[in-house]
Amino acid sequence: MKNKGRFPLQVGMVLAGSAALIAFPLVQYGTPEIVWAVAAGALLSTVNVLLGYVAIEYSFEKSYTTFVKAVLGGMGLRMAAMLAALTALIVFGGMHAVALTVSVMGFYAVYLVMEIVFIQRKVSLKNRE
């Protein structure tokens, strides 16, 4: 498909745009602990959505059963890994819990919408072929 590789670029643009928007207020009014927690949360959510992209690309042309297992099963595994990473960063890493959690959830919500639109567009393009 002609759009292959476009989604990671869009994720990068959202990450860069978000960083540009929140950099000044975050550095000006936040403590270094909060800045690090927000950055870690953004990174964690970005890795999560890129792993989702890999699962979608891997399984899209395969059978429906394989697609559902890879995407939904992969989502369950990714969510469990994110929970473990959040717990480890808060308990063992001493990260600011609220800043980390809000950052993860904020980026996760935006990326989830992007992921749903990406799947919908892929299905729509496939149905036109």
Side-chain angles (χ1 to χ4, degrees):
M1 290 189 180
K2 66 181 180 177
N3 291 332
K4 195 163 188 150
R6 189 171 161 198
F7 184 75
L9 179 62
Q10 291 171 342
V11 169
M13 291 185 333
V14 166
L15 183 61
S18 299
L21 286 173
I22 66 173
F24 176 75
L26 192 60
V27 171
Q28 185 69 29
Y29 302 109
T31 64
E33 178 185 37
I34 290 174
V35 173
W36 279 109
V38 170
L43 180 64
L44 189 60
S45 289
T46 302
V47 169
N48 179 53
V49 75
L50 291 175
L51 289 173
Y53 166 76
V54 169
I56 293 165
E57 285 294 330
Y58 163 76
S59 63
F60 191 74
E61 295 295 331
K62 299 197 179 345
S63 72
Y64 177 75
T65 304
T66 302
F67 179 78
V68 170
K69 284 180 183 177
V71 174
L72 295 181
M75 184 186 307
L77 290 174
R78 289 185 292 134
M79 294 303 293
M82 282 184 59
L83 179 60
L86 275 171
T87 302
L89 288 171
I90 293 168
V91 173
F92 302 115
M95 290 227 164
H96 191 278
V98 173
L100 179 64
T101 305
V102 168
S103 175
V104 166
M105 295 309 296
F107 279 96
Y108 180 80
V110 172
Y111 290 154
L112 183 61
V113 170
M114 290 174 63
E115 200 171 344
I116 290 168
V117 170
F118 173 69
I119 292 173
Q120 188 275 329
R121 285 186 180 157
K122 275 188 85 74
V123 169
S124 178
L125 287 172
K126 183 179 180 182
N127 289 340
R128 282 192 220 159
E129 293 176 355

